[in-house]
Amino acid sequence: MAQNQLLTITTGILVCWVIIIIAWERIAPYRKGLPFFREGFWVDLVWYTLIQSYFLKILIFDYIIAPVRQHVHWADWHLLQSWPLAVQVLFFVLTHDLYIYLFHRFQHSNKYFWRIHEAHHSGKQVDFLAGSRSHVLEIVINQTIEFAPIILLGADPAVIPIKALVDAMFGMFIHANIRVNLGRLKYFINTPELHLWHHANYQEVFHANFSTKFSFWDYLFGTAYDPGHAPGNQPENWGLGYAFPKDYFLQHAFSFKRFDEQKLLRYKLFTQYYHLRPAIIKKLSGITHKMGSKPKASVLKQQEETVW
Ligand SMILES: [Zn+2]
Ligand SMILES: [Zn+2]
């Protein structure tokens, strides 16, 4: 099958999966009352999912892996060429999942590497899109380690779009605000229940539920936390226990230097920048109040949270 044809198929499957997950979140929500346009929705969609992914794909494949490939000739060893495509995909999914488990666990225990992971935990309303929020450096490290071996070992080119599809589908599934009962399969496949607990602001899970696709890593290494009930529904039950910037660029700056986002609003230039994109999005979303009828303060607050 031509690579282009495969890309069309994987994109089609992904679009269908997005529709299924969105419908599923409406039908069987894990937390009731979570809005679709929740806080941080546009930052996650526009900045993390679209813009960041687009540029990092070019950086990782064209400027990191491609130059390395010029000097590394592991493909000549013909290690994988005789393996069926499905076995190659399974091999890379499994080995990368173990790596991700270990690196993720390390990030939670190392104060410097936590700085490039905390953004992922910053959302207080976790849904299918929340998994996209990952620091630039975290993605560069993880995706280089993920895709470089596939290319350098000369695997079937089809492995890349298939694996990327599996990543995206799992990423959405484990973050989705859905109640799902997998029975005993939960000891094997990761579930939203286990990963949503990982996003909860409870001491018990600060060092638990690190798995991404296969939950058995957590059970195997003794880091599973599954109390059988959901975290509370209050903002303090979720995300980080400290203030975290709402702006995409400030979220990255925060990993290098701590500051108070609200205090920066004293500077006029910063205030203009800070409110520029939310204002554009608000306009695009058609969230405009009618002339002469001022919305109530609570409505304004809600809109402000929605656009971020
Ligand atoms: Zn984490
Ligand atoms: Zn997550």
Side-chain angles (χ1 to χ4, degrees):
M1 188 188 294
Q3 197 76 352
N4 275 351
Q5 214 177 345
L6 183 62
L7 269 176
T8 311
I9 294 170
T10 52
T11 309
I13 294 172
L14 188 61
V15 170
C16 292
W17 187 241
V18 171
I19 295 167
I20 290 168
I21 291 283
I22 290 173
W24 201 348
E25 284 190 331
R26 306 297 114 197
I27 296 164
Y30 186 72
R31 288 166 74 190
K32 289 195 176 77
L34 213 65
F36 182 75
F37 293 109
R38 44 90 181 155
E39 187 182 327
F41 177 88
W42 294 106
V43 172
D44 290 353
L45 178 68
V46 178
W47 285 104
Y48 285 99
T49 307
L50 301 176
I51 300 175
Q52 179 174 288
S53 298
Y54 176 80
F55 285 105
L56 287 190
K57 185 172 172 278
I58 295 170
L59 174 74
I60 293 164
F61 283 91
D62 299 348
Y63 291 93
I64 298 176
I65 300 177
V68 174
R69 196 186 187 184
Q70 304 286 323
H71 305 282
V72 173
H73 305 286
W74 298 343
D76 297 344
W77 301 345
H78 298 288
L79 290 173
L80 307 170
Q81 275 82 346
S82 60
W83 296 11
L85 176 61
V87 177
Q88 292 187 29
V89 171
L90 198 68
F91 171 74
F92 286 109
V93 166
L94 198 66
T95 50
H96 180 68
D97 207 48
L98 172 60
Y99 154 74
I100 276 287
Y101 169 87
L102 295 171
F103 185 68
H104 186 191
R105 189 171 168 173
F106 171 64
Q107 283 181 301
H108 275 259
S109 61
N110 180 286
K111 65 176 179 179
Y112 299 109
F113 279 85
W114 169 251
R115 292 281 186 105
I116 61 163
H117 183 56
E118 63 183 344
H120 185 71
H121 283 267
S122 62
K124 293 199 175 284
Q125 296 180 323
V126 187
D127 65 6
F128 76 102
L129 196 58
S132 65
R133 188 180 294 192
S134 286
H135 193 285
V136 163
L137 286 177
E138 185 174 50
I139 296 286
V140 170
I141 294 169
N142 284 338
Q143 291 196 357
T144 300
I145 289 174
E146 174 175 15
F147 291 110
I150 297 174
I151 294 169
L152 299 179
L153 287 169
D156 189 318
V159 172
I160 292 174
I162 294 173
K163 182 146 190 344
L165 173 69
V166 174
D167 289 346
M169 288 176 74
F170 256 100
M172 278 186 236
F173 176 67
I174 62 170
H175 291 95
N177 183 42
I178 52 177
R179 191 166 289 282
V180 53
N181 188 358
L182 287 184
R184 284 175 176 238
L185 254 185
K186 74 173 181 184
Y187 298 109
F188 187 79
I189 300 279
N190 203 11
T191 64
E193 198 167 19
L194 289 170
H195 195 70
L196 288 175
W197 260 110
H198 183 70
H199 281 259
N201 182 27
Y202 287 74
Q203 193 82 46
E204 300 92 308
V205 278
F206 287 169
H207 298 283
N209 296 7
F210 299 111
S211 294
T212 302
K213 297 181 180 71
F214 301 110
S215 55
F216 57 68
W217 304 122
D218 274 309
Y219 288 105
L220 200 64
F221 297 119
T223 51
Y225 181 76
D226 184 13
H229 61 84
N233 222 355
Q234 301 305 312
E236 62 269 23
N237 300 135
W238 294 84
L240 302 170
Y242 48 90
F244 193 77
K246 291 179 176 180
D247 174 76
Y248 171 82
F249 293 102
L250 293 185
Q251 288 178 353
H252 283 82
F254 198 69
S255 62
F256 299 103
K257 173 105 180 93
R258 296 317 210 193
F259 54 83
D260 184 341
E261 188 181 37
Q262 292 306 312
K263 281 187 181 162
L264 290 175
L265 290 170
R266 284 183 305 200
Y267 303 101
K268 201 180 163 201
L269 205 64
F270 177 75
T271 309
Q272 284 172 345
Y273 156 75
Y274 194 68
H275 292 299
L276 180 66
R277 278 174 297 107
I280 293 170
I281 292 167
K282 206 182 274 186
K283 270 221 169 90
L284 289 174
S285 308
I287 307 170
T288 48
H289 53 271
K290 287 177 187 166
M291 284 167 67
S293 62
K294 277 191 173 177
K296 289 176 188 168
S298 60
V299 177
L300 274 176
K301 172 104 178 57
Q302 195 184 353
Q303 286 179 358
E304 193 70 21
E305 283 174 355
T306 301
V307 294
W308 276 106

